[in-house]
């Protein structure tokens, strides 16, 4: 059953890249070896729940975010998933007021596209 390992590895890589982290940086944040991080991302390693916890803690995400299946997404859906990952990184360090402002700005930009 490597499909789930590959899904988790692909999502881990996408989130790591959205956060602007290298494998080395993620390895340091998670107290894991960078070669191990690479193997997990490629779906080559059968990792433990403890390792999963280290990775999601280092990425500052919820565990479920690693289980979003990306196979079969069309080009638009894949671009949307990537944008959501990047948006999550942007809002992670903002206050509630700043997030509200950002949402308003995004809404205005979206409205401009609809016109």
């Amino acid at each position: 059953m490597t499909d789930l390992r590959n899904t988790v590895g692909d999502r881990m890589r996408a989130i790591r890249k959205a956060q602007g982290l290298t494998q080395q940086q993620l390895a340091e944040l998670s107290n894991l070896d960078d070669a191990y991080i690479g193997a997990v991302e490629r779906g080559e390693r059968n990792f433990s729940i403890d390792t999963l916890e280290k990775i999601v803690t280092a990425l500052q995400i919820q565990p479920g975010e690693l289980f979003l299946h990306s196979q079969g997404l069309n080009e638009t859906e894949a671009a949307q998933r990537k944008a959501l990952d990047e948006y999550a990184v942007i809002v992670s360090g903002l206050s509630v007021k700043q997030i509200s402002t950002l949402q308003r700005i995004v809404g205005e930009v979206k409205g401009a596209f609809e016109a």
Side-chain angles (χ1 to χ4, degrees):
M1 181 186 292
T2 60
D3 287 345
L4 183 57
R5 261 199 330 252
N6 288 333
T7 295
V8 171
D10 289 345
R11 286 292 299 148
M12 189 174 108
R13 180 183 303 108
I15 293 167
R16 174 184 59 77
K17 286 184 175 185
Q19 292 183 5
L21 296 173
T22 64
Q23 288 180 345
Q24 177 70 36
Q25 290 168 320
L26 179 56
E28 290 171 8
L29 291 170
S30 59
N31 294 317
L32 297 168
D33 184 77
D34 60 330
Y36 186 82
I37 294 292
V40 170
E41 287 185 355
R42 292 186 300 275
E44 297 171 353
R45 295 299 302 253
N46 189 15
F47 51 90
S48 69
I49 296 295
D50 292 339
T51 299
L52 180 67
E53 182 176 27
K54 288 178 181 182
I55 292 168
V56 299
T57 299
L59 292 173
Q60 299 178 348
I61 60 172
Q62 294 297 313
E65 292 181 54
L66 290 178
F67 295 94
L68 296 174
H69 205 308
S70 60
Q71 283 183 321
L73 295 181
N74 64 37
E75 185 178 0
T76 300
E77 293 166 334
Q80 290 169 340
R81 175 79 52 82
K82 185 174 188 267
L84 288 172
D85 289 343
E86 292 171 0
Y87 191 75
V89 172
I90 291 168
V91 301
S92 67
L94 301 180
S95 69
V96 172
K97 184 177 180 180
Q98 290 169 322
I99 291 170
S100 178
T101 301
L102 184 58
Q103 286 175 309
R104 193 171 58 255
I105 292 167
V106 169
E108 290 176 19
V109 171
K110 182 180 178 260
F113 288 134
E114 293 171 350

